[in-house]
Amino acid sequence: MIKRILILFFSVLFSLLANAQTAVNSQWYNDAKFGIFVHYGLYAQIGYTEWAQNHFEIQAADYEKLQSQFAPSQFNANQWVQLFMEAGAKYLVFTAKHHEGFSMYQSKYTDFNSFKSTYSIDFLAQLSQACQQKAMPFGVYYSVMDWHHPDYLPRRYFDNRPKELANTANYKLFFKQQVTEIIDRYQPSLLWFDGEWENTHDSLESVALDQMIRDKNPGILINNRLSRYVKGDFKTPENAVPATGLKSEDGKPVNWELCYTINDSWGYDPYSTEFKSARGLIRLLVDICSKGGNLLLNVGPKPDGSIQSEFQERLLAMGKWLKENGNAIYGTKASIFEQLPFYGASTTKGNTIYLHAFLMPSNRQLAMPLLKNNIIKLYHLASKKELPYHITNNQCIIDCNGIKIDDAATVIAVETEGLPELKSQFPLYAANQTIDLLPEAASFDPMTKKENMLVQYFDKMLLKKWNQQSTLNNIEWHFSTANTTLYDVYIKAASANELKGNILGNLQIDSTRNLLFEIPARTAYTYTNAYLFKPIFIGQITINKGFNNIKLKVLPKAGQELVFEKIIFIPHKK
Ligand code: FHN
């Protein structure tokens, strides 16, 4: 009995220690917020993404020929790492082996590796060393799926090698050997597995492998893609920010990292020429941080190992912004606000709240929901200039006159007495006040990503493309009123397409009362500027004292599309 109690005691203790270990290990990762992902392999030579072998249905034997042509003449590990540092990134994840099966290092277990090609480069050796010199944590990507190894199953549909000869046990051993040599030799801080989805029956014994890795290096972080049987230390959504961050089943925030491409491809693709803007990438990083995650931004180097100028320009622009505003990113936690009255986001670090205004309101008065705390200091982060503020309508209104507005995000720091706590999420309006309901201050139904629908148009935000194809069902505002008041209600909106008929809509007040309205069709002959529309009167409504919920819904028919600027409630004058 005593023996059993002791065993139980020690196993609980070990598991507590293991969990505590993960929490300590992940500190650098949680604080880093921004890493660079590099997808580089033989596929860069084809220039049709890292899936080129699959796309062009190339047999493994033919694909092997790319090894002798691989000529990374411009590769320079120190220059890469220098660029990533200048971008403000805090860690690097490099593809040691992608689905093509080519090892980008000197592996003992296969000759299909970069050291055995003309340039004899061990990318892992050079990059891990360059990172070490700059104290930048180094991470290794490793694909479970392998289109080259003769013993990996299942094969690609076009692969003509006889399956019967494959012995999965050999691949399992190879996989384990390579992972072991990578850990032993290059000591990565992080392992980023991928391509795990085919091994549904876990022929690769991932649980044991995960344990083996952690026994070897208890400090290592492992993503959630080794297999479905292993949870991993962080989740890895791809190319789309989860609307409210990610939580565990018991509702606690979990570590997560969005991997994201600058154009539309991970591996080099000269045909993928739609590049996200630097401004968009900065805002993406802010948005991710405001939801408690990290950004792993991808770069796909050219076949010669250089990094194309479009990527460099964007990375350097991010670095420039981070140099001034990095305090509002590194080491921060998610926003304490559910919703902000302006277009932007917020992050928190200790006693400081950072407000990131993507768009500064044209009157330069930035509103923050009311806090319980006293404010000790409130300043523009980039210039350290203190800013005047006052409390009104249950909001803290910050006067942002006299500071330089940043096109990507202007950051205001609010230092509070004690840890910041929210007092009131929603504004409170007096009887004689006009209420502007802006799309950036609305909650969108969970089906729709707000940032996909909002477009900055000079000094305002517009909600665009509300049509039959959009998932948007409604948008909602919440606020309180100090008195019961009768309002004249206007909408500023227009039909984006010509000759498609009037667009029907409904403004619902507290789920019970409806103001139905029509946005007149735009005719080809009256075309002026669709975005400089006049307010359309839609009726009168009494708003009761207290908390209110206003829901806007439009019902576009085929071909119709709405552009929306705002709803205005003006107290009725007798
Ligand atoms: O198939 C891969 C893809 O090529 C790329 O490596 C991404 C990065 O997360 N992962 C897989 C798709 O999820």
Side-chain angles (χ1 to χ4, degrees):
M1 181 67 180
I2 290 178
K3 199 173 152 197
R4 261 207 238 151
I5 291 173
L6 279 175
I7 292 174
L8 189 69
F9 172 76
F10 280 112
S11 53
V12 169
L13 184 70
F14 282 134
S15 101
L16 284 175
L17 284 175
N19 286 339
Q21 183 71 52
T22 309
V24 173
N25 295 336
S26 60
Q27 191 61 49
W28 72 262
Y29 176 78
N30 290 338
D31 289 349
K33 291 289 160 198
F34 178 28
I36 298 286
F37 210 176
V38 176
H39 273 69
Y40 190 37
L42 295 181
Y43 44 78
Q45 296 175 72
I46 304 177
Y48 204 83
T49 86
E50 70 294 349
W51 275 72
Q53 179 179 5
N54 181 83
H55 184 80
F56 295 113
E57 303 182 356
I58 306 172
Q59 298 303 326
D62 293 331
Y63 196 82
E64 270 181 7
K65 293 178 191 146
L66 288 172
Q67 180 172 9
S68 60
Q69 297 158 25
F70 188 42
S73 57
Q74 302 305 308
F75 169 71
N76 182 319
N78 292 322
Q79 274 174 15
W80 278 18
V81 172
Q82 183 61 31
L83 172 68
F84 304 153
M85 302 249 328
E86 281 174 32
K90 298 290 183 194
Y91 60 104
L92 167 65
V93 180
F94 178 76
T95 47
K97 185 194 82 165
H98 203 266
H99 310 335
E100 63 176 1
F102 186 66
S103 303
M104 295 288 280
Y105 69 100
Q106 186 180 11
S107 177
K108 269 200 286 189
Y109 305 102
T110 174
D111 283 347
F112 192 50
N113 78 58
S114 59
F115 200 74
K116 292 268 170 159
S117 67
T118 329
Y119 279 73
S120 283
I121 298 179
D122 183 326
F123 290 92
L124 291 192
Q126 293 198 25
L127 286 167
S128 60
Q129 210 182 3
C131 281
Q132 203 184 10
Q133 275 166 14
K134 301 275 184 194
M136 179 183 261
F138 178 60
V140 169
Y141 168 107
Y142 188 90
S143 171
V144 176
M145 176 158 72
D146 191 316
W147 301 334
H148 176 265
H149 198 286
D151 294 308
Y152 175 81
L153 290 179
R155 295 257 175 81
R156 294 281 94 192
Y157 64 93
F158 57 85
D159 192 329
N160 62 14
R161 294 174 293 178
K163 285 188 207 48
E164 304 69 54
L165 301 182
N167 178 354
T168 314
N170 288 343
Y171 183 70
K172 187 167 68 183
L173 180 64
F174 171 76
F175 181 30
K176 190 173 162 187
Q177 285 168 330
Q178 281 212 316
V179 171
T180 308
E181 80 179 341
I182 288 172
I183 301 172
D184 288 346
R185 214 185 288 156
Y186 310 105
Q187 293 167 358
S189 306
L190 179 154
L191 283 180
W192 215 102
F193 288 103
D194 196 12
E196 79 294 8
W197 56 85
E198 293 184 333
N199 294 90
T200 46
H201 54 289
D202 201 24
S203 56
L204 301 173
E205 295 175 6
S206 56
V207 177
L209 186 69
D210 179 74
Q211 194 53 54
M212 187 277 287
I213 299 169
R214 293 183 193 279
D215 288 345
K216 275 189 161 294
N217 179 356
I220 206 159
L221 289 175
I222 308 177
N223 74 341
N224 65 338
R225 298 197 194 181
L226 175 57
S227 86
R228 65 175 62 180
Y229 304 98
V230 181
K231 205 164 108 239
D233 300 313
F234 59 96
K235 296 193 177 187
T236 52
E238 206 163 298
N239 272 332
V241 184
T244 51
L246 289 175
K247 308 229 160 34
S248 60
E249 275 153 25
D250 56 3
K252 295 206 178 95
V254 293
N255 296 337
W256 64 274
E257 172 192 85
L258 180 87
C259 50
Y260 197 78
T261 54
I262 297 181
N263 51 358
D264 288 327
S265 174
W266 300 97
Y268 178 62
D269 182 353
Y271 302 100
S272 178
T273 51
E274 297 269 314
F275 299 95
K276 283 111 190 178
S277 65
R279 180 174 86 171
L281 293 170
I282 292 166
R283 290 177 177 183
L284 174 83
L285 174 63
V286 172
D287 185 33
I288 289 171
C289 293
S290 79
K291 291 166 184 164
N294 281 17
L295 167 64
L296 186 64
L297 187 62
N298 183 72
V299 164
K302 286 178 162 181
D304 67 4
S306 61
I307 294 175
Q308 65 192 84
S309 57
E310 291 88 348
F311 292 161
Q312 296 208 27
E313 283 157 19
R314 282 156 181 82
L315 291 178
L316 293 175
M318 291 180 83
K320 191 164 169 260
W321 184 87
L322 279 163
K323 221 171 187 170
E324 284 189 337
N325 298 293
N327 270 343
I329 294 293
Y330 307 122
T332 58
K333 295 210 165 13
S335 171
I336 65 161
F337 308 113
E338 275 166 40
Q339 177 69 49
L340 286 168
F342 58 88
Y343 182 49
S346 163
T347 51
T348 318
K349 183 156 54 184
N351 288 6
T352 306
I353 286 181
Y354 296 100
L355 302 172
H356 303 246
F358 297 162
L359 177 72
M360 184 58 73
S362 45
N363 62 5
R364 298 264 184 133
Q365 304 298 300
L366 197 68
M368 173 179 77
L370 198 60
L371 301 175
K372 286 185 187 160
N373 320 60
N374 290 330
I375 293 174
I376 295 176
K377 195 172 165 193
L378 194 154
Y379 58 99
H380 172 225
L381 183 63
S383 65
K384 305 282 175 292
K385 184 175 187 257
E386 289 207 32
L387 298 173
Y389 62 90
H390 67 278
I391 309 290
T392 185
N393 294 351
N394 258 3
Q395 291 183 320
C396 173
I397 309 290
I398 304 161
D399 183 353
C400 294
N401 280 299
I403 57 168
K404 191 167 160 274
I405 302 305
D406 192 300
D407 183 46
T410 309
V411 182
I412 308 299
V414 185
E415 265 178 45
T416 56
E417 198 176 271
L419 289 180
E421 273 184 84
L422 186 62
K423 181 165 182 192
S424 168
Q425 178 64 52
F426 307 110
L428 168 73
Y429 294 102
N432 56 356
Q433 273 189 301
T434 292
I435 303 174
D436 276 352
L437 300 178
L438 307 171
E440 60 265 40
S443 315
F444 280 46
D445 64 52
M447 290 293 291
T448 313
K449 278 201 185 327
K450 195 169 175 172
E451 58 272 24
N452 292 349
M453 308 255 344
L454 290 184
V455 177
Q456 185 173 333
Y457 186 74
F458 294 98
D459 62 349
K460 61 191 173 205
M461 298 307 296
L462 296 177
L463 189 165
K464 289 181 82 174
K465 300 217 167 107
W466 198 343
N467 54 30
Q468 271 195 339
Q469 283 72 46
S470 77
T471 53
L472 187 60
N473 185 33
N474 59 65
I475 66 173
E476 259 181 271
W477 296 268
H478 301 107
F479 59 87
S480 296
T481 35
N483 306 78
T484 298
T485 308
L486 176 66
Y487 291 93
D488 296 331
V489 185
Y490 295 83
I491 184 168
K492 281 185 97 179
S495 145
N497 296 337
E498 290 156 16
L499 302 168
K500 298 291 180 192
N502 292 1
I503 303 178
L504 303 181
N506 177 22
L507 194 70
Q508 192 172 69
I509 294 93
D510 294 331
S511 313
T512 49
R513 292 171 294 152
N514 296 294
L515 279 181
L516 300 174
F517 62 85
E518 289 188 24
I519 304 294
R522 196 148 60 91
T523 69
Y525 312 106
T526 59
Y527 180 87
T528 50
N529 188 335
Y531 310 142
L532 297 175
F533 20 67
K534 292 206 175 74
I536 301 166
F537 178 72
I538 61 172
Q540 285 186 332
I541 196 89
T542 300
I543 299 285
N544 296 324
K545 179 180 167 181
F547 186 72
N548 293 282
N549 169 317
I550 309 282
K551 200 181 262 186
L552 173 69
K553 205 177 166 97
V554 289
L555 305 162
K557 299 197 191 88
Q560 292 184 336
E561 190 165 297
L562 189 84
V563 187
F564 169 73
E565 183 189 335
K566 62 175 163 177
I567 302 279
I568 314 165
F569 283 62
I570 302 179
H572 180 71
K573 290 197 183 73
K574 281 171 208 121

